[in-house]
Amino acid sequence: MKEQIKKFLNEEQDPKAIEKITSKLNDLLMKNEEIGYIAVQKKPALTVFPDGVVVTNKRIIICQPKNLGLSMNFTDFTWDEIEGTFVKENILGSEFSFSTKTQIQVSIDYIPKTQARKIFTYAKEQLDILKNPVVSEEVKVQVPEFQQEKVEEVEEFVEEMEAEEVINYAEIMPAVSNYAEPIVENTTASTEKISSELTQDELFAKLQNYKKLLDNGLILQGEYDAFKKEILSMM
């Protein structure tokens, strides 16, 4: 018995009918389409060529053998065409049926009860997926390619700059006259506003200066992070 049909023989399906259906379906399946379940008729009288119902992740396929099994008719309905599915259990098996949005009624009788329940459950799951699709990941803001490259370049520069060790503290202090009040880039950093008219080079210099101030304990980490974010937003 072929490995590919073993998984469809869990509820006493006719092996020959399953093999015939799957062999003909191989050329009918669409890209990324997978068979979920196959149910096969089991009439009280001997039925050499029973009808079958195939449910995939894309559609329902009704399989009806013709010409003594030499040919087979396939009728399919995609899930978005189907309005609802139904199962009616009788004494001799069950009747699986479904209706379409165009008022077409399709039914297959004498389906073994276990198979009918399985195919009904699978169909309900597919319809639920169609009605309640999985929410896709949050859409990311598209950044123009040239701008993204610039941001990456700045971030790389900042990472390299943060790895540098400040050797000479005097290098970070602005020159002041003897009588002027010392200025250290306004250590009350949380209130400073950076002009948006500064050039790229000036912004780079400001960011480097703030990093040195942070390394020497003249501003807090939170203040530095705020300046860094503001400067990067201007580039």
Side-chain angles (χ1 to χ4, degrees):
M1 185 181 297
K2 296 181 180 180
E3 288 291 331
Q4 63 181 11
I5 69 173
K6 284 184 178 180
K7 62 180 179 179
F8 301 121
L9 301 177
N10 298 326
E11 279 74 46
E12 300 181 356
Q13 289 95 331
D14 184 347
K16 292 183 179 179
I18 292 292
E19 184 173 8
K20 185 176 290 293
I21 290 173
T22 54
S23 65
K24 294 183 179 296
L25 278 178
N26 285 336
D27 297 330
L28 297 177
L29 295 179
M30 298 182 288
K31 184 178 180 181
N32 299 325
E33 184 175 19
E34 297 179 357
I35 298 175
Y37 194 80
I38 301 176
V40 180
Q41 276 184 327
K42 190 175 183 180
K43 294 183 177 181
L46 179 62
T47 306
V48 180
F49 308 109
D51 292 347
V53 182
V54 180
V55 285
T56 75
N57 58 329
K58 294 182 180 293
R59 51 184 169 162
I60 292 180
I61 305 173
I62 306 300
C63 309
Q64 297 174 307
K66 301 292 181 182
N67 301 320
L68 299 178
L70 297 177
S71 62
M72 186 173 293
N73 287 348
F74 295 97
T75 307
D76 69 329
F77 300 87
T78 58
W79 292 114
D80 57 359
E81 295 180 280
I82 296 173
E83 184 71 28
T85 58
F86 315 92
V87 167
K88 180 180 179 182
E89 294 192 354
N90 303 312
I91 296 176
L92 299 175
S94 298
E95 179 183 355
F96 173 77
S97 61
F98 60 89
S99 61
T100 69
K101 296 176 181 178
T102 55
Q103 307 303 315
I104 297 175
Q105 297 287 333
V106 181
S107 64
I108 301 292
D109 56 6
Y110 294 108
I111 299 290
K113 294 180 180 180
T114 303
Q115 296 181 39
R117 293 167 187 161
K118 287 288 185 72
I119 205 167
F120 174 74
T121 300
Y122 186 91
K124 294 294 288 183
E125 290 174 351
Q126 294 303 311
L127 291 175
D128 286 343
I129 292 174
L130 188 64
K131 293 177 181 178
N132 304 292
V134 178
V135 178
S136 59
E137 293 183 3
E138 184 179 354
V139 179
K140 297 182 179 179
V141 178
Q142 297 296 322
V143 180
E145 185 177 351
F146 73 92
Q147 183 177 348
Q148 181 65 30
E149 292 177 354
K150 189 64 179 178
V151 170
E152 291 175 355
E153 179 183 342
V154 172
E155 290 179 346
E156 182 179 353
F157 168 78
V158 171
E159 290 176 359
E160 293 177 355
M161 185 182 68
E162 290 178 345
E164 294 179 357
E165 180 179 1
V166 178
I167 299 175
N168 188 355
Y169 172 71
E171 294 177 356
I172 71 170
M173 297 298 295
V176 296
S177 62
N178 293 333
Y179 59 88
E181 184 179 348
I183 299 175
V184 187
E185 283 295 320
N186 191 358
T187 55
T188 57
S190 58
T191 61
E192 179 174 336
K193 298 295 183 180
I194 300 173
S195 172
S196 59
E197 298 179 355
L198 294 178
T199 65
Q200 293 287 328
D201 291 339
E202 290 172 332
L203 289 171
F204 273 121
K206 260 193 176 300
L207 186 58
Q208 189 173 20
N209 199 28
Y210 286 131
K211 180 59 176 66
K212 293 177 180 179
L213 291 173
L214 173 66
D215 291 340
N216 286 273
L218 298 177
I219 61 174
L220 300 176
Q221 180 68 48
E223 294 173 328
Y224 169 73
D225 290 341
F227 281 134
K228 175 181 173 183
K229 180 178 179 180
E230 186 175 358
I231 290 174
L232 290 177
S233 68
M234 297 178 182
M235 293 182 173

